[in-house]
């Protein structure tokens, strides 16, 4: 259950998708996209959720918003259990919980003007119409670095970075408290990524927002996150404050991800950890530690027993699921 300082609490979240075969659609297997994930996000803070493509981080973000049905687990938002809400109550709750999509090209309706895209939620929720709606849309566009004159233009007239700013303005329309940022910069040029990250940080300070920032790039996550959770094959394998994680990663998978971060100093020695093999299938995950088939530090115990998240080192709250590291 949430404490006073927590805005979002996730406990034991599982999202499994059935694989059906045969004439009658018999369930032959399950894709364990999210397999027992737990974390907390404090008010006004950012949790970075990182991992390779296919690890389940996007599914986790959408499940906690109830855009995808959960198999099991519980989610609280401001002390209210999200999965227990009626449809009417959930509609009201969703005003406080919004989503910024990964693809700035596919997430905007090409047949709608920018004004209608940003203002649609205001109309749906009955918050503003006519002149009041137009003024609110103009205010939102200017807040994200665009011009009020852009309201009558269409998405194809904007660059990728500008489109993502439109998506951010749309997410802000209902004055949310919590936003799931689903890889909001991964489809953008590197030069534009920092601008969007800086914008999100400025908006967080100004509006008191709380973020779940989903990404596969640890370099991006470092600049915006207060805490970082590392996912692998549907499970969180390491969780720590951003400072502790980047100073001393304790899980071999996190170490490998961090070794892939480009170093700005060409004279600094930098040893890249290259993982062997491919990510196992979430339909048939390996026994023991899910990372052991690719882990350069594995021991016999890793093959047989599933490690649990436990504190590593002296940093309070720094936990990792590994039998090898201390």
């Amino acid at each position: 259950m949430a404490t006073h300082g927590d805005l979002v609490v996730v406990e034991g979240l599982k999202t499994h998708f059935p694989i059906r075969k045969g004439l009658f659609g018999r369930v032959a297997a399950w894709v364990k996209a999210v397999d027992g994930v737990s974390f907390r996000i404090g008010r006004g803070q950012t949790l970075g959720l990182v991992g390779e493509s296919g690890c389940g981080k996007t599914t986790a973000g959408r499940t906690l918003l109830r855009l995808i049905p959960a198999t099991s687990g519980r989610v609280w938002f401001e002390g209210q259990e999200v999965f227990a809400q009626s449809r009417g109550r959930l509609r009201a709750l969703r005003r406080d919980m919004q989503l910024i999509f990964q693809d700035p090209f596919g997430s905007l309706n090409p047949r709608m003007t920018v004004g209608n895209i940003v203002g649609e939620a205001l109309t749906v929720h009955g918050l503003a119409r006519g002149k009041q709606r137009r003024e609110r849309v103009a205010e939102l566009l200017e807040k994200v670095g665009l011009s009020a004159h852009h309201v009558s233009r269409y998405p194809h007239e904007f660059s990728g970075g500008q489109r993502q700013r439109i998506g951010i303005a749309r997410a802000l329309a209902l004055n949310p408290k919590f936003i799931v940022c689903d890889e909001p910069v991964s489809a953008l040029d590197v030069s534009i990524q920092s601008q969007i990250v800086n914008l999100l940080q400025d908006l967080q300070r100004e509006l008191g927002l709380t973020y779940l920032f989903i990404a596969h790039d640890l370099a991006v996550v470092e600049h915006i996150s207060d805490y970082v959770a590392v996912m692998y094959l549907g499970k969180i394998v390491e969780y720590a404050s951003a400072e502790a994680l980047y100073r001393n990663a304790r899980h071999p998978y996190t170490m490998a991800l961090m070794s892939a971060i480009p170093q700005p100093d060409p004279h600094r020695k930098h040893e890249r950890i290259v993982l062997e093999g491919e990510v196992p299938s979430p339909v048939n995950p390996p026994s023991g530690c899910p990372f052991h088939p690719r882990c350069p530090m594995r021991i016999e115990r890793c093959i047989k027993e599933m490690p649990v998240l436990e504190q590593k080192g002296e940093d309070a709250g720094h936990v990792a699921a590994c039998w090898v590291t201390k």
Side-chain angles (χ1 to χ4, degrees), residues 196-215:
I196 298 300
V197 170
N198 289 339
L199 172 63
L200 290 171
Q201 289 179 308
D202 291 342
L203 291 170
Q204 184 176 43
R205 285 189 291 267
E206 179 184 349
L207 303 174
L209 298 170
T210 301
Y211 294 142
L212 174 63
F213 191 92
I214 298 169

Side-chain angles (χ1 to χ4, degrees), residues 130-194:
K131 180 182 178 182
Q132 187 180 9
R133 180 178 182 268
R134 291 192 297 272
E135 289 176 348
R136 175 60 176 158
V137 169
E139 176 191 352
L140 289 165
L141 291 176
E142 291 176 354
K143 191 178 291 291
V144 299
L146 297 174
S147 169
H149 300 297
H150 291 149
V151 292
S152 59
R153 293 170 61 178
Y154 289 86
H156 72 269
E157 300 179 68
F158 296 89
S159 66
Q162 289 174 320
R163 291 187 193 195
Q164 196 58 293
R165 290 174 186 269
I166 296 169
I168 293 171
R170 175 176 58 186
L172 294 176
L174 299 178
N175 289 318
K177 298 175 182 176
F178 174 60
I179 300 179
V180 174
C181 306
D182 183 11
E183 302 206 40
V185 299
S186 63
L188 305 177
D189 293 339
V190 175
S191 60
I192 305 300
Q193 289 183 5
S194 61

Side-chain angles (χ1 to χ4, degrees), residues 33-37 55 230-238 290 306:
V34 179
D35 198 24
V37 166
C55 72
V230 181
M231 278 191 75
Y232 186 81
L233 210 63
K235 297 181 181 294
I236 290 178
V237 297
E238 185 164 9
M306 173 78 75

Side-chain angles (χ1 to χ4, degrees), residues 231-296:
M231 278 191 75
Y232 186 81
L233 210 63
K235 297 181 181 294
I236 290 178
V237 297
E238 185 164 9
Y239 176 90
S241 67
E243 180 185 1
L245 187 92
Y246 285 90
R247 183 179 67 247
N248 191 13
R250 311 302 287 189
H251 195 282
Y253 178 59
T254 310
M255 297 175 192
L257 291 179
M258 292 186 68
S259 76
I261 299 175
Q263 296 294 328
D265 184 356
H267 301 293
R268 182 179 177 183
K269 290 185 178 180
H270 181 64
E271 183 179 350
R272 174 74 187 275
I273 301 174
V274 180
L275 298 176
E276 58 186 51
E278 299 292 332
V279 179
S281 169
V283 177
N284 187 25
S287 61
C289 174
F291 186 59
H292 87 255
R294 306 174 70 197
C295 182

